[in-house]
Amino acid sequence: MMTNINAVRTQLEAIVGPEVFDFETNENFAESYREQRKVFLLSRMKLQAKLMIIIGLTLTAFFVWVNEGIPQKIHAFKIGLLIEFFIILCWFLCKNPLARRYPQMIFLSLCWSATCAIQIDTAILFNYVEPLTNIWNLMFITQATIIPVQWRIHLISQVGTIVCYLGLCVVYRPTFKFPIAHYIEQGIYLFWTAIICVFSVYLYEKLKKKEFRAKRELEIAQEQSEKLLLNILPAVIAKQLKLQPTTIADIFHEVTVLFADIVGFTELSSHTSPPELVELLNQIFCLFDELAERHGIEKIKTIGDAYMAVAGLPNYQSDHALAIANMALDMQKAMIEFNQQNNLSFQIRVGISTGPVVAGVIGLKKFAYDLWGDTVNTASRMESHGIPDNIQICEATYQLLKDKYLLEKRGLIKIKGKGEMMTYLLHGRKMSDIG
């Protein structure tokens, strides 16, 4: 799996840049990882609080039962009740919005409610300052297994427990009941328990970070591949192709097709370097892409310095002819502005045709969404037999635009492969329809 991720990562770095995948220094990655761990920390603390409530009630009942004498039973009950109060308080704090900001404080409170609080209570009530290492060990191991998040706060909770106990020793100056060797033995057990717990949490966190990084790399790779796919195919077709990887060919009974060609670009290529030529063409086609996006038109492809687009597919569009007409007029304006900004004199020749087409994806490699049919051929002929700086349309398109646009009858012209055809020139929208 990691080999595949690394391969995808290498390919995508070449496209979007290596800085996107530099997770060690990427602030977005660090923030999203911290947020994910906070959610995990809170959910696990809620679970541990519930377990501690159940265990606390059980132990309280046990100590009340085993202690002899009413005063001792009352003291045991008070200690158990106080500890349960702290645990329940931590449980409610886990559900508070502030818990998302300061989960570490709740973690420490939950730990110390079962270590420091018990030690302090027994010292106050019974003047008993013997180290409760069994409870400490149980708490450290429980937190390391249930809440293995951020080894540093595990270490702080352990150190805090020891510091609390040493503070009580300074205040009460206890007389120890067992030989010093007993406490050394208990201290060694406690030390290694703490080290193992902290180290296991450290290793677990390191593993989770690697898993999170791999998951994010895979998600980003999928997002980038999805974007690349949607730049090649319409969203509907991309989804259909993923679900059914076979030939896709759909009949659309009425769409409007546009062909645009940059007049003078071929002549310019003879005395302009290829990089400069490509940069100019890219700037122009990017303007056309923005117009297609604005008018809800599907770009099909570019062929050299020719641009092909269609309205009315893959999703039905009732005003397909109007959308293409508006885009064609805006393309003329965009070309004028481009010439003024770059001190050039390009002209654009546009051809438009309306009718049925077949659209789809064919072949096994290098998928491309394309159109076929007489309507496509006619639109291409309208462009190639057109006039520079003019938009030439066929009879079918004229019938859809005549009520809202300024049109000039050009007359019958001889079209290669189709004979004579009646054509019209689109000059603009009628004043009553502007705005």
Side-chain angles (χ1 to χ4, degrees):
M1 178 179 174
M2 290 303 299
T3 303
N4 293 335
I5 290 175
N6 290 334
V8 173
R9 174 177 179 164
T10 302
Q11 295 172 4
L12 291 174
E13 281 182 356
I15 299 172
V16 300
E19 64 278 357
V20 175
F21 294 94
D22 190 4
F23 289 112
E24 296 298 335
T25 58
N26 190 292
E27 293 182 3
N28 291 333
F29 165 77
E31 183 60 33
S32 60
Y33 177 74
R34 283 194 293 267
E35 188 64 25
Q36 188 256 9
R37 299 313 286 165
K38 281 183 180 180
V39 173
F40 178 80
L41 177 61
L42 286 171
S43 65
R44 288 305 182 91
M45 283 194 298
K46 291 176 186 176
L47 173 62
Q48 186 178 17
K50 292 176 183 178
L51 291 174
M52 289 174 67
I53 290 171
I54 296 171
I55 295 170
L57 290 173
T58 305
L59 291 177
T60 299
F62 174 75
F63 285 120
V64 169
W65 178 56
V66 298
N67 273 297
E68 297 180 357
I70 298 300
Q72 287 78 8
K73 291 180 181 293
I74 292 174
H75 288 324
F77 179 76
K78 285 181 178 179
I79 293 174
L81 192 64
L82 187 61
I83 301 305
E84 290 295 281
F85 170 77
F86 285 130
I87 296 171
I88 292 172
L89 180 62
C90 291
W91 182 33
F92 278 111
L93 287 175
C94 288
K95 300 181 179 182
N96 191 287
L98 286 175
R100 292 292 292 272
R101 297 181 62 182
Y102 308 106
Q104 296 86 351
M105 298 304 298
I106 300 175
F107 177 94
L108 295 175
S109 300
L110 197 59
C111 175
W112 291 337
S113 67
T115 55
C116 298
I118 294 178
Q119 197 76 60
I120 293 170
D121 288 344
T122 54
I124 293 172
L125 294 174
F126 304 113
N127 200 31
Y128 182 83
V129 196
E130 285 290 322
L132 304 176
T133 53
N134 289 337
I135 295 177
W136 301 350
N137 281 327
L138 179 62
M139 192 66 207
F140 298 159
I141 293 172
T142 301
Q143 285 196 317
T145 53
I146 296 180
I147 318 176
V149 180
Q150 298 179 359
W151 65 269
R152 292 179 181 84
I153 61 172
H154 283 266
L155 182 60
I156 291 171
S157 71
Q158 296 163 6
V159 172
T161 298
I162 304 302
V163 170
C164 174
Y165 173 72
L166 293 177
L168 290 174
C169 289
V170 172
V171 173
Y172 287 91
R173 299 183 182 277
T175 301
F176 296 108
K177 299 192 303 182
F178 302 99
I180 191 65
H182 169 79
Y183 297 104
I184 293 174
E185 181 183 357
Q186 292 296 314
I188 292 173
Y189 288 151
L190 180 65
F191 171 78
W192 282 112
T193 299
I195 291 296
I196 291 170
C197 288
V198 171
F199 189 61
S200 66
V201 171
Y202 168 77
L203 293 178
Y204 180 81
E205 272 294 284
K206 192 174 181 180
L207 176 62
K208 294 305 292 184
K209 187 174 286 188
K210 286 183 178 179
E211 289 179 355
F212 186 83
R213 184 184 297 112
K215 182 180 178 182
R216 287 295 298 138
E217 287 182 353
L218 186 58
E219 288 175 354
I220 291 175
Q222 290 173 340
E223 289 171 4
Q224 294 296 336
S225 64
E226 187 72 16
K227 288 180 182 178
L228 292 173
L229 184 61
L230 293 178
N231 278 335
I232 299 170
L233 303 173
V236 175
I237 301 302
K239 183 177 180 181
Q240 185 178 349
L241 191 62
K242 286 188 288 186
L243 294 175
Q244 185 180 4
T246 58
T247 300
I248 298 174
D250 299 312
I251 298 175
F252 296 88
H253 297 288
E254 187 175 82
V255 300
T256 300
V257 181
L258 173 147
F259 273 90
D261 182 74
I262 302 170
V263 181
F265 202 83
T266 303
E267 291 77 4
L268 182 65
S269 63
S270 61
H271 54 81
T272 304
S273 66
E276 292 177 330
L277 200 67
V278 171
E279 179 59 28
L280 282 174
L281 195 61
N282 179 63
Q283 293 178 29
I284 294 171
F285 283 172
C286 283
L287 293 174
F288 293 171
D289 287 346
E290 291 174 2
L291 293 175
E293 186 75 21
R294 185 189 308 168
H295 292 288
I297 290 169
E298 191 70 42
K299 173 188 176 181
I300 300 300
K301 60 184 175 182
T302 59
I303 309 169
D305 60 346
Y307 188 94
M308 179 184 178
V310 62
L313 62 78
N315 298 315
Y316 175 74
Q317 188 177 357
S318 59
D319 60 345
H320 51 86
L322 279 65
I324 285 289
N326 292 334
M327 179 174 173
L329 293 170
D330 287 344
M331 289 169 78
Q332 286 184 326
K333 295 177 184 177
M335 186 57 70
I336 293 172
E337 294 175 0
F338 181 81
N339 286 334
Q340 292 173 349
Q341 293 171 2
N342 296 276
N343 194 27
L344 296 169
S345 57
F346 287 137
Q347 294 176 298
I348 187 172
R349 185 172 57 226
V350 181
I352 299 174
S353 176
T354 300
V357 297
V358 174
V361 179
I362 60 175
L364 298 175
K365 295 182 178 180
K366 296 184 179 180
F367 293 125
Y369 188 66
D370 209 347
L371 308 181
W372 300 272
D374 185 64
T375 303
V376 178
N377 297 331
T378 301
S380 178
R381 295 290 184 266
M382 289 294 104
E383 178 274 311
S384 61
H385 291 70
I387 305 171
D389 272 344
N390 277 272
I391 303 167
Q392 183 165 252
I393 66 175
C394 68
E395 179 70 32
T397 308
Y398 168 80
Q399 294 299 327
L400 297 175
L401 300 180
K402 62 182 181 180
D403 295 331
K404 296 186 177 183
Y405 290 83
L406 298 173
L407 299 164
E408 176 189 347
K409 185 176 182 180
R410 186 183 180 191
L412 292 170
I413 61 172
K414 190 172 183 180
I415 303 295
K416 181 181 177 181
K418 299 186 70 67
E420 290 188 337
M421 292 186 68
M422 181 63 68
T423 61
Y424 303 83
L425 300 178
L426 170 64
H427 294 303
R429 286 176 289 183
K430 292 182 178 178
M431 292 301 296
S432 59
D433 292 298
I434 296 178

